[in-house]
Every structure is written in structure tokens, then in C-alpha cells.
């Protein structure tokens, strides 16, 4: 699987931008961009989005190109799943980034104690998931429930929703979203 950093570097080079130019355009520190391009740091979704927007791209376009450039395999080692979240709050490990024609976003999510997706949001998709460890509070519209290991959810993502870990230990879940949003 190609590294996210190498793909960012290649995109920057194709646009004939120096790392300093990209830093100014994106508002992301030059040193951070350098670390990301060398795969010494995983970008948060917000950081990656700022960098991509500064180069005229989107998360969806970036991950589509990244997936198309990689050789396809039906198997993925846990350590090879790319991080598209923040390991300090909410980690999203993506399954099948290089699957050709991917029509499903599959994630291994980890919520640190107190982690929260923030204000309820919506998008055109359907989501489903199963809690595998800890507790996750899921709000969908006006309904809220705390789910424990083995509990699950499935909803239309056009209904505003949010996730939160109300417990003292990390919470984990496996989720799927279709069509993929990343």
C-alpha cells in the first residue's frame, strides 16, 4: 500500500509547490508537512483536509487516487490499516483503501475516554457498526443510547448523528458506511 505521505509529496510536486508554499496556503506548519511527507507522523482528518484543499483536492479524491495507485489484495494486516483520524482522541483505521471500485468504507474505530465527534452532523450515506470494547454513546436525531460490547447500530446518515465515549476506558467499534465518504 502506498504511504499517505508519499502521495501528499507527489501531489505537492505535481503542483510545483515547495513545502513552505504549501505551509502558507494550508496554515499547517512547514515542519508538520515535512514529517507527514516522510511518514513520520499520521495526519488528522482536519490536517489532511487543509493540506488537500490548499492543493485543490478533496479527501474523497485523494483516497480514490491513493487506492487506485496501490496493488489490490483481499487481505490487510492490522498494522497496515491507514490512520485517517487522530490516535489521541478518535482513531479511524481504514480497511480496503486500495480495493478497486470500493463502494464501502469499513473502519476500526477507537474512542479515547471522553472523545466526542462534536456537533451532530449528517451526510448522504448509511452507517452500521458493532461495539467490540468499552461503551459508545450514539445519538441519531433525537434518540440517544449507550452501546456496550456486542450492541450495534444501523441508520440513515442523513439524520444528524454523533458518537461519544462516556466511559473511563477506550471504546472500540467496527463500522461500515456506504457509499464511502473517504
Amino acid at each position: 500500500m502506498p504511504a499517505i505521505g508519499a502521495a501528499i509529496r507527489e501531489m505537492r510536486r505535481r503542483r510545483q509547490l515547495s513545502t513552505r508554499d504549501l505551509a502558507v496556503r494550508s496554515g499547517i506548519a512547514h515542519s508538520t508537512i515535512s514529517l507527514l511527507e516522510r511518514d513520520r507522523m499520521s495526519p488528522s482528518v482536519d490536517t489532511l483536509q487543509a493540506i488537500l484543499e490548499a492543493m485543490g483536492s478533496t479527501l474523497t479524491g485523494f483516497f480514490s487516487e491513493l487506492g487506485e495507485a496501490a496493488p489490490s489484495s483481499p487481505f490487510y494486516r492490522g498494522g497496515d490499516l491507514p490512520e485517517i483520524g487522530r490516535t489521541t482522541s478518535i482513531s479511524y483505521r481504514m480497511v480496503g483503501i486500495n480495493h478497486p471500485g470500493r463502494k464501502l468504507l469499513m473502519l476500526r474505530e477507537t474512542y479515547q475516554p471522553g472523545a466526542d465527534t462534536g456537533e451532530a452532523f449528517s451526510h448522504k450515506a448509511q452507517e452500521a457498526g458493532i461495539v467490540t470494547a468499552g461503551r459508545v454513546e450514539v445519538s441519531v436525531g433525537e434518540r440517544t443510547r449507550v452501546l456496550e460490547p456486542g450492541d450495534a447500530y444501523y441508520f440513515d446518515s442523513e439524520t444528524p448523528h454523533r458518537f461519544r465515549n462516556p466511559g473511563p476506558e477506550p471504546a472500540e467499534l467496527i463500522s461500515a458506511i456506504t457509499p464511502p465518504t473517504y
Side-chain angles (χ1 to χ4, degrees):
M1 185 185 89
I4 289 175
I8 292 170
R9 183 175 52 250
E10 179 59 28
M11 183 181 285
R12 178 181 57 75
R13 287 182 179 163
R14 280 185 287 162
R15 286 163 175 74
Q16 299 179 338
L17 294 170
S18 69
T19 54
R20 293 198 188 280
D21 292 336
L22 182 55
V24 169
R25 282 185 177 192
S26 66
I28 304 299
H30 168 265
S31 58
T32 299
I33 292 171
S34 177
L35 289 170
L36 293 174
E37 287 189 355
R38 291 181 290 137
D39 287 314
R40 304 223 179 212
M41 172 189 234
S42 292
S44 69
V45 173
D46 292 339
T47 298
L48 182 57
Q49 187 168 1
I51 290 169
L52 294 174
E53 284 178 1
M55 292 191 289
S57 188
T58 63
L59 287 169
T60 303
F62 177 75
F63 282 113
S64 291
E65 285 181 29
L66 189 61
E68 290 170 6
S72 179
S73 171
F75 307 106
Y76 304 88
R77 297 250 180 239
D80 293 337
L81 301 178
E83 174 66 64
I84 61 172
R86 294 185 186 120
T87 57
T88 57
S89 58
I90 304 173
S91 167
Y92 299 108
R93 294 285 184 168
M94 188 174 176
V95 177
I97 191 169
N98 62 345
H99 184 80
R102 187 169 51 84
K103 293 180 177 65
L104 173 74
L105 172 62
M106 186 88 182
L107 299 170
R108 184 180 77 203
E109 303 180 35
T110 303
Y111 291 72
Q112 294 303 318
D116 190 327
T117 57
E119 291 292 319
F121 61 98
S122 62
H123 50 99
K124 287 186 172 272
Q126 291 187 345
E127 296 185 36
I130 299 173
V131 176
T132 57
R135 298 172 48 197
V136 178
E137 179 185 273
V138 181
S139 298
V140 180
E142 300 297 318
R143 302 165 87 182
T144 299
R145 179 150 316 153
V146 175
L147 303 178
E148 297 183 354
D151 294 343
Y153 61 88
Y154 188 117
F155 59 87
D156 184 331
S157 304
E158 289 189 75
T159 304
H161 53 282
R162 84 184 259 217
F163 295 80
R164 182 176 80 85
N165 178 355
E169 60 192 39
E172 296 181 359
L173 57 96
I174 303 299
S175 67
I177 302 171
T178 187
T181 52
Y182 296 116

